[in-house]
Amino acid sequence: MGNNKFQKWIFWAAGGVVMLSIMTVLGISARVGWVLTHPERLPVTKPALTGAQEYREIAFPSRKADVTLQGWYFQSGNSNQTIIFAHGYRKNRLQDDVPALKLALELRENGYNILVFDFRACGESGGNLTSIGQYEKDDLIGAVDFMKKMGRPGTHIGVLGFSMGAVAAILAAEADSRIEAVVADAPFADLEKYLSDNLSYWSDLPAFPFTPLIIKIMPLVLGLDPTQVSPAAAIKNVKVPVLLIHGNADTTIPLANSEEIHRAAPKTTTLWQVPGAKHVGSYKVQPQEYLRRVQEMFQLLDDSRRTL
């Protein structure tokens, strides 16, 4: 009898340890999923711009009106062509690692109105959940709505996106035909696959068992569905020209992602591989060539040069 009681105690104790371990792993996975989708905001430092470089503070709703987004609008004379910038994960409208503001001012000098804004849960915009593309697509379409309401400045609209913003740009172009050209700098090809391969890089946890658990928990706890964020699938339905830019030294989102997107739609996409460039570092490595190629793409916004 004594042995049986001891064996039962061992059985229940072992079961308790296993259950505690499972609950701990689930708790850690849920916590990491929460942290990854609720990143700390980067403060927006207002640039000291005067004269011709001055900008206007703007605010507009996301397409579904669930959050209010904050940004800046840079007018370029009487231009009827606007480029909307879309920043990356954990960044804001400045995207300092590009640096996006310098690029925006160069494009403005060459005749393009520029709109830069913070995605939801970033910078000064509303919301507290980053969806890594799923809802940011709606934020970007909200920016298109804003420009269209402005009249002439929103006659022709292109989008320049970086990383997550590049993903949102492709998804938005699939959903909204008012976007006439896209430049996508360093996008991932498919969120579910990217997370499966790289989530441990962001979470600092072993891939097993945490990665599959975090991916499964995100839809249940946060209402997010990584399967809805697939530029490689969306690009097949995008009817406008897309320039993919990717550094071959990018270890955050490897070049293979843009190559996959390009293979999915070779007729409407062009891929520029930048030697030695790290993640969203192509402009730093080849600034003049970057500007030339971007402007060449956005020249399609001009009625007299339209080819598609």
Side-chain angles (χ1 to χ4, degrees), residues 61-78:
S62 179
R63 165 48 75 90
K64 294 183 179 178
D66 54 335
V67 295
T68 298
L69 308 168
Q70 305 289 335
W72 299 325
Y73 174 66
F74 298 82
Q75 179 75 32
S76 180
N78 195 36

Side-chain angles (χ1 to χ4, degrees), residues 45 53 58 81 118 135 139 144 185 239 268 276:
T45 304
Q53 292 186 332
I58 59 171
Q81 303 171 65
D118 302 323
Y135 300 139
D139 296 347
V144 175
D185 188 330
K239 306 303 182 184
T268 54

Side-chain angles (χ1 to χ4, degrees), residues 90-102:
R90 290 178 173 172
K91 300 296 181 181
N92 60 28
R93 71 190 81 168
L94 292 167
Q95 190 82 47
D96 286 332
D97 50 352
V98 171
L101 183 59
K102 182 176 183 292

Side-chain angles (χ1 to χ4, degrees), residues 164-285:
M164 179 188 75
V167 170
I170 293 172
L171 299 180
E174 178 193 30
D176 193 334
S177 61
R178 297 174 300 173
I179 296 172
E180 300 174 23
V182 170
V183 175
D185 188 330
F188 56 76
D190 182 90
L191 181 56
E192 186 175 33
K193 184 177 185 301
Y194 178 77
L195 291 177
S196 296
D197 294 342
N198 299 280
L199 189 55
S200 58
Y201 169 85
W202 298 99
S203 68
D204 292 323
L205 292 171
F208 183 83
F210 292 101
T211 291
L213 283 174
I214 293 170
I215 293 174
K216 293 293 185 184
I217 285 172
M218 286 174 69
L220 298 174
V221 176
L222 302 169
L224 302 181
D225 184 1
T227 64
Q228 293 187 26
V229 186
S230 179
I235 197 69
K236 298 174 184 178
N237 302 315
V238 175
K239 306 303 182 184
V240 299
V242 177
L243 171 61
L244 299 160
I245 301 175
H246 220 120
N248 67 3
D250 191 339
T251 56
T252 303
I253 299 178
L255 170 62
N257 285 267
S258 280
E259 291 176 329
E260 181 179 344
I261 296 170
H262 178 52
R263 286 195 302 270
K267 292 184 178 180
T268 54
T269 64
T270 302
L271 173 59
W272 177 35
Q273 302 180 28
V274 183
K278 297 182 179 180
H279 190 55
V280 298
S282 298
Y283 178 57
K284 281 184 178 179
V285 172

Side-chain angles (χ1 to χ4, degrees), residues 27-28 36 53 70 79 83 98 132 152 177 192 241 252 288-289:
I28 292 173
L36 290 174
Q53 292 186 332
Q70 305 289 335
S79 176
I83 300 172
V98 171
I132 320 179
R152 178 177 172 78
S177 61
E192 186 175 33
T252 303
Q288 295 306 312
E289 181 63 11

